[in-house]
């Protein structure tokens, strides 16, 4: 589920939850979900790395 569709942590109680990303919306959702989830984990997916490597624009890191 993308945070665009996320409104409240209802329905995630006592579930295993993984939040992928580090944006502001994801961070807000992560805080709320960590309070109700049975098990919670947040991770970062560096999808842009492959794009940067292919374009040769590594100076953006």
């Amino acid at each position: 589920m993308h945070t665009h569709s996320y409104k409240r942590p209802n329905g995630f109680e006592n579930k295993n939850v993984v939040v992928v990303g580090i944006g502001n919306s994801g961070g807000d959702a992560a805080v709320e979900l960590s309070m109700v989830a049975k098990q919670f984990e947040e991770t970062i997916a560096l999808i842009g790395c492959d794009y940067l490597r292919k374009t040769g624009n590594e100076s953006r890191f």
Side-chain angles (χ1 to χ4, degrees):
M1 168 189 298
H2 192 275
T3 54
H4 178 75
S5 301
Y6 174 82
K7 302 297 179 208
R8 292 185 174 81
N10 301 3
F12 292 94
E13 297 91 346
N14 298 313
K15 296 201 177 177
N16 298 328
V17 178
V18 176
V19 174
V20 179
I22 58 171
N24 293 339
S25 299
D28 291 343
V31 169
E32 291 180 357
L33 291 166
S34 69
M35 301 294 197
V36 300
K38 174 181 174 183
Q39 185 173 356
F40 175 83
E41 192 164 325
E42 185 172 21
T43 187
I44 302 168
L46 296 176
I47 297 167
C49 291
D50 192 45
Y51 171 76
L52 294 174
R53 194 175 318 114
K54 287 180 180 176
T55 62
N57 190 3
E58 294 182 24
S59 63
R60 296 177 73 184
F61 279 132

